[in-house]
Amino acid sequence: MLESMNGLKRTNMCADLSAADAGKKVTLAGWVQRRRDLGNLIFIWLRDRSGLVQLTFLSDADKELLEKAETLRAEFVIAVQGTVCLRDEQNINPDLKTGEIEIAVEELRVLNTSLTPPFAIEENSDVKDEIRMTYRYLDLRRPDIQRNLILRHKAAKIIRNYYDEQGFLEIETPMLIKSTPEGARDFLVPSRVHPGKFYALPQSPQQYKQLLMLSGMDRYFQIVKCFRDEDLRADRQPEFTQIDLEMSFVDIDDVITVNEGLLKCVFKELLDVDVQLPMQRMTYAEAMSRFGSDKPDTRFGFELRDLSDLVTNCGFQVFSGAVAQGGSVRAINVDGHAKDFSRKEIDALGEYVKTYRAKGLAWIVVNEDGSLKSPIAKFLTEEEIQSILERMNAKAGDLLLIVADKDKVVFDSLGNLRLEVARRLNMLNPKQFNFLWVTEFPLLEYDEEEGRYTAMHHPFTAPMEEDMQYIDTDPGKIRAKAYDIILNGNELGGGSLRIYQKDMQEKMFQLLNISPEEIQTRFGFLLDAFKYGAPPHGGLAFGFDRLIMLMAGADSIREVMAFPKQQNASELMTNAPETVDGKQLDELFISTHPPKKEME
């Protein structure tokens, strides 16, 4: 028969007890982790959010209590009352926070029983994701997941305190807004009161935080939910959390300085990691040239080198042809690691770069005796090979990996290849934190399919004044007052100084080929606001989930979110999304029909 806690009041969390509490009467409650039965002696490991403690039941003390303890199984919910005792020295468990003590139980109440769980409730349980997410309420009992959520809670508290000390106001912005799609698809919410019309869930509070600056709030922030209807990956979810902020009367250095201070504070208080300030800065052009990526991982080398000028007229058509067609030939030096890659493994790297549309991978191995091994050597002169080796600073034991193609393909291929090689060599230390600001992004990028320019960040990003000379002749040359903060090859956050003058914002919309009618329909309220004295302003948004993921050493943001979605944006535990009652649809003036494939 199940019991209640009537008359009992929990005095302590399990792992908060220590040898200093010896002799103390305590009341604990939690879940049975496991039971060890020695006949006249039973040990129970009791678990709560704080950790584990050992309970001891002796037949000499109370035979009925021992018999009751024999009925306990994993995940039973119990409450106990007893005395904290020191373990014998030979029984101390140095791997357990409470390993010096045990609780001599005097009263046991079984509050609830449990079915045998579908997987063990233990750290780093090797269970299929589908099972974990179906039983997420059990998965959340695992100590490693609970630690991640505790870390998340503590980080949010520190962030709020830090921004408050820096003069920021936490102000909430609406969840039901107007749809002004600028990137990913919006999630739409039908209005019952306004038939046929829809709200959108915010992809970010971008326009509202700019309006708060216009309203004189000066410094705003919030830890806010955002929504994007896009395909998922390890660090992306349809709903996610941003640390969002905006500041008035600032330049780029002001925004960067205050947010470097935040990261230093968070990492010191939570991980005892000293982040060195100021952080390294690198322009977008330099990042692409050296690392093939606008979010480079700088924990290791293998930087790109341009070989184009050395092979322009060489006899290897793959190289010379790429240069002739306006592309480039670039390489990385996996220095000192040639011995770690067999021919079969090098061929596998060739297949890897094909996923980034490269046609293949050329390579040169410098043997320990200084001789070379390469399938392309026969197409190159000794002088050309020697110039390549010199450009790459190649020495005995090095492996050169080369891609020739359009610049975008070369950068994508080698930028990802250097990461893949580092992964295979176990060079990515999750406890090493390399921060980097990437600055001076292009304002625009050209969409070949649509035949028009699109905003690289968003259409409210301010251009650099010195590049305005190109606005009518070559807008692709304009750099933006934009900046991203990178941590270990992950974009931790991004921001910019904003356009705050009506004519400049209208010009930006025109560059994006948005018609005057569409400008007024989608953004008229913002342009109207600019007529009433908008201050210069700028801001930044951190990916909060991604920050916690990196601090926790997790592989996915799902490991730091309580109830994440699966790869197909569904939630297995509740079976969301699901069909709804026809009456609800009628109230919203919505009718549904089968997807096109089903109809066919």
Side-chain angles (χ1 to χ4, degrees):
M1 182 176 178
L2 298 180
E3 300 163 286
S4 74
M5 286 193 69
N6 188 32
L8 290 183
K9 186 173 180 62
R10 184 167 65 173
T11 60
N12 298 86
M13 300 292 282
C14 291
D16 291 345
L17 297 169
S18 68
D21 297 300
K24 181 179 178 181
K25 288 273 189 180
V26 295
T27 301
L28 306 176
W31 287 262
V32 174
Q33 178 72 15
R34 64 174 177 266
R35 186 193 68 177
R36 186 180 176 207
D37 194 336
L38 302 179
N40 65 341
L41 174 64
I42 293 177
F43 296 114
I44 299 290
W45 278 21
L46 183 67
R47 185 191 73 244
D48 63 16
R49 192 183 76 192
S50 68
L52 296 167
V53 71
Q54 181 173 283
L55 311 179
T56 305
F57 298 83
L58 285 163
S59 60
D60 293 345
D62 190 328
K63 189 173 181 180
E64 286 187 17
L65 189 63
L66 186 76
E67 291 173 352
K68 194 173 183 181
E70 288 176 344
T71 68
L72 300 179
R73 298 293 181 270
E75 300 311 306
F76 276 29
V77 185
I78 64 173
V80 297
Q81 201 168 48
T83 303
V84 179
C85 301
L86 294 174
R87 294 195 196 190
D88 294 336
E89 189 172 341
Q90 65 270 24
N91 293 327
I92 289 175
N93 184 349
D95 298 325
L96 194 64
K97 187 179 177 183
T98 56
E100 292 183 295
I101 62 167
E102 59 190 8
I103 310 300
V105 178
E106 297 153 17
E107 182 178 357
L108 164 66
R109 295 190 192 181
V110 180
L111 307 178
N112 220 329
T113 59
S114 172
L115 297 174
T116 301
F119 51 85
I121 310 299
E122 59 188 14
E123 294 221 13
N124 304 311
S125 183
D126 186 17
V127 183
K128 289 183 178 179
D129 280 352
E130 291 79 4
I131 298 175
R132 288 182 58 200
M133 294 303 126
T134 300
Y135 298 94
R136 183 61 168 174
Y137 44 84
L138 296 179
D139 193 48
L140 286 172
R141 293 182 187 176
R142 290 169 42 197
D144 47 334
I145 302 297
Q146 291 190 345
R147 277 199 303 273
N148 290 347
L149 295 182
I150 292 168
L151 179 72
R152 185 185 180 109
H153 156 74
K154 290 180 177 179
K157 185 172 182 292
I158 291 168
I159 289 162
R160 285 191 165 94
N161 289 342
Y162 175 84
Y163 281 130
D164 176 64
E165 290 168 2
Q166 298 296 319
F168 286 78
L169 302 177
E170 184 168 13
I171 304 174
E172 292 184 348
T173 52
M175 286 290 110
L176 298 175
I177 67 173
K178 179 178 181 176
S179 177
T180 56
E182 295 112 31
R185 296 184 189 90
D186 284 334
F187 279 104
L188 300 177
V189 180
S191 170
R192 177 186 59 80
V193 180
H194 303 280
K197 295 186 177 181
F198 294 81
Y199 301 103
L201 299 180
Q203 295 186 29
S204 80
Q206 181 61 45
Q207 293 168 63
Y208 283 100
K209 67 183 184 180
Q210 290 191 247
L211 290 170
L212 285 171
M213 296 303 99
L214 187 141
S215 304
M217 294 298 104
D218 197 76
R219 290 189 169 199
Y220 136 93
F221 89 100
Q222 66 175 323
I223 300 176
V224 60
K225 277 286 186 185
C226 300
F227 308 84
R228 292 180 185 175
D229 187 6
E230 58 188 353
D231 295 334
L232 306 193
R233 61 188 185 200
D235 59 351
R236 182 177 288 169
Q237 285 275 305
E239 53 181 316
F240 57 96
T241 305
Q242 279 187 183
I243 309 167
D244 201 56
L245 65 110
E246 198 78 4
M247 307 164 66
S248 292
F249 305 108
V250 292
D251 59 22
I252 291 174
D253 287 341
D254 294 324
V255 180
I256 285 179
T257 298
V258 76
N259 287 293
E260 285 185 345
L262 171 74
L263 292 170
K264 184 176 180 68
C265 177
V266 170
F267 274 77
K268 182 61 179 177
E269 292 198 33
L270 292 179
L271 302 183
D272 197 26
V273 170
D274 288 309
V275 174
Q276 297 302 308
L277 302 183
M279 295 173 182
Q280 182 183 2
R281 296 191 199 183
M282 185 181 298
T283 66
Y284 170 87
E286 182 183 353
M288 295 302 294
S289 176
R290 291 175 57 187
F291 300 99
S293 170
D294 60 1
K295 48 180 186 295
D297 192 330
T298 58
R299 286 175 293 178
F300 60 97
F302 308 161
E303 294 187 18
L304 280 64
R305 295 287 185 273
D306 192 349
L307 308 178
S308 304
D309 61 308
L310 305 179
V311 296
T312 301
N313 300 309
C314 75
F316 189 37
Q317 182 60 35
V318 173
F319 286 178
S320 57
V323 177
Q325 293 172 21
S328 61
V329 181
R330 299 174 194 262
I332 61 173
N333 183 356
V334 188
D335 53 301
H337 290 283
K339 64 182 181 301
D340 296 314
F341 292 89
S342 66
R343 174 61 188 270
K344 183 178 179 181
E345 289 169 324
I346 294 174
D347 289 343
L349 294 178
E351 293 302 311
Y352 176 82
V353 296
K354 288 180 181 178
T355 62
Y356 297 96
R357 296 187 299 159
K359 299 179 181 67
L361 182 69
W363 53 272
I364 301 173
V365 169
V366 185
N367 295 315
E368 293 297 334
D369 61 3
S371 64
L372 304 180
K373 182 167 61 176
S374 172
I376 66 168
K378 59 187 175 183
F379 301 107
L380 301 170
T381 66
E382 286 188 19
E383 291 78 9
E384 289 166 343
I385 291 174
Q386 190 58 39
S387 65
I388 290 172
L389 296 178
E390 289 177 3
R391 178 70 56 84
M392 300 303 299
N393 296 318
K395 60 186 183 305
D398 288 356
L399 168 63
L400 310 184
L401 302 174
I402 311 169
V403 173
D405 214 306
K406 295 178 181 176
D407 280 351
K408 185 178 188 319
V409 173
V410 172
F411 287 140
D412 285 350
S413 300
L414 288 178
N416 284 284
L417 180 63
R418 65 181 292 272
L419 287 170
E420 179 63 18
V421 169
R423 274 191 289 268
R424 296 189 185 198
L425 294 173
N426 295 316
M427 298 177 70
L428 304 180
N429 180 3
K431 293 185 178 180
Q432 178 183 347
F433 300 102
N434 280 30
F435 291 93
L436 169 73
W437 288 100
V438 176
T439 63
E440 298 182 21
F441 283 82
L443 182 69
L444 307 166
E445 52 189 345
Y446 194 75
D447 189 317
E448 298 283 354
E449 291 184 8
E450 295 190 17
R452 68 180 184 91
Y453 283 106
T454 60
M456 180 166 270
H457 280 74
H458 55 62
F460 313 107
T461 301
M464 298 186 77
E465 285 87 352
E466 57 264 42
D467 292 346
M468 289 303 293
Q469 58 183 309
Y470 305 117
I471 195 161
D472 294 316
T473 57
D474 193 357
K477 283 187 175 181
I478 302 174
R479 292 167 298 162
K481 293 182 179 179
Y483 35 82
D484 283 357
I485 177 65
I486 310 302
L487 174 57
N488 295 352
N490 295 270
E491 182 189 331
L492 199 57
S496 67
L497 298 190
R498 321 302 187 187
I499 298 171
Y500 63 96
Q501 294 162 327
K502 180 176 178 292
D503 57 347
M504 176 56 74
Q505 187 63 72
E506 287 177 331
K507 184 67 176 179
M508 181 65 172
F509 288 146
Q510 290 166 12
L511 286 173
L512 299 176
N513 202 28
I514 303 175
S515 68
E517 296 76 21
E518 192 176 0
I519 291 172
Q520 188 57 40
T521 300
R522 290 168 60 179
F523 306 107
F525 66 94
L526 184 64
L527 295 176
D528 286 344
F530 282 173
K531 297 175 184 178
Y532 294 93
H537 56 282
L540 182 135
F542 289 103
F544 185 50
D545 312 290
R546 199 172 297 175
L547 171 64
I548 303 303
M549 176 188 78
L550 293 169
M551 294 183 73
D555 294 326
S556 165
I557 61 172
R558 292 192 302 173
E559 301 303 311
V560 299
M561 302 173 77
F563 298 104
K565 302 291 189 292
Q566 287 293 97
Q567 194 72 25
N568 62 359
S570 66
E571 187 190 284
L572 297 180
M573 185 181 67
T574 63
N575 286 324
E578 187 55 278
T579 56
V580 297
D581 188 275
K583 182 180 178 183
Q584 289 177 275
L585 294 178
D586 290 342
E587 288 175 343
L588 295 168
F589 304 94
I590 291 177
S591 62
T592 62
H593 59 77
K596 189 175 180 181
K597 286 185 178 179
E598 285 186 29
M599 294 175 69
E600 290 172 352

